[in-house]
Each structure stands twice: as structure tokens, then as C-alpha cells.
Amino acid sequence: IPLQQKYHARIYVTLRSSVLDPAGTAVRSGLEHMGYTDVESVRIGKYIEVNLHATNEPQARQQLEEMCDRLFANPVIENYRIELS
């Protein structure tokens, strides 16, 4: 059995730029009502942390990409970025 290493991943999921973000629009409007009139736009996303064991970094990254495609993100309307350490 190959020795496995522990990896820590930070995953950022955001809506694609072509997709409207009603939550971001609502937050921007709220900020404007609070006096923050210089805010041009707001986009809302998700932040996910995952700790996992894998034989090597490519294997860890492959597993994380599968998790994103199958559960964490909707690939039709969202992008994701993985930071692995």
C-alpha cells in the first residue's frame, strides 16, 4: 500500500461572469442603503475547506476536481478554483 500524505484544500466556487447574481445585487443594494455608494458590484460565492489523504498531489487534485464537478459546484453556471497545500 503506497504511503499517503495529508492535503488541505481551499476551494472557491463562483458564478460564471455570464450568470446573473441576484444575491450579489441584493447585497450591493443593501450596502448602498448603508452609505457605501462607491461599491460598483458584488458577486457572492462559496468557500469550502477539505482535508484529505492521497498518494500524491495529482491524485489529491483529481479527487478534489471530481468533488467539485459532482457536488460542490454546478459546472454549468459556476467556476471553481482549488488551492492545495
Side-chain angles (χ1 to χ4, degrees):
I1 299 175
L3 183 63
Q4 293 197 326
Q5 298 177 7
K6 184 174 181 179
Y7 293 93
H8 177 78
R10 288 168 301 284
I11 302 166
Y12 301 87
V13 180
T14 56
L15 287 170
R16 293 180 183 264
S17 59
S18 61
V19 176
L20 294 176
D21 184 356
T25 301
V27 168
R28 189 205 153 282
S29 177
L31 289 169
E32 186 174 2
H33 290 304
M34 294 170 69
Y36 298 101
T37 57
D38 292 332
V39 176
E40 184 176 315
S41 65
V42 175
R43 302 284 288 176
I44 303 293
K46 296 180 275 190
Y47 172 73
I48 303 160
E49 289 190 7
V50 177
N51 292 309
L52 75 154
H53 292 91
T55 305
N56 53 42
E57 187 173 326
Q59 182 192 47
R61 188 167 296 279
Q62 178 185 356
Q63 289 182 46
L64 290 161
E65 288 177 359
E66 288 175 7
M67 291 176 202
C68 288
D69 288 337
R70 297 178 69 189
L71 181 64
F72 299 149
N74 177 345
V76 174
I77 62 169
E78 294 175 315
N79 294 319
Y80 60 85
R81 176 173 50 94
I82 299 170
E83 293 179 358
L84 192 57
S85 58

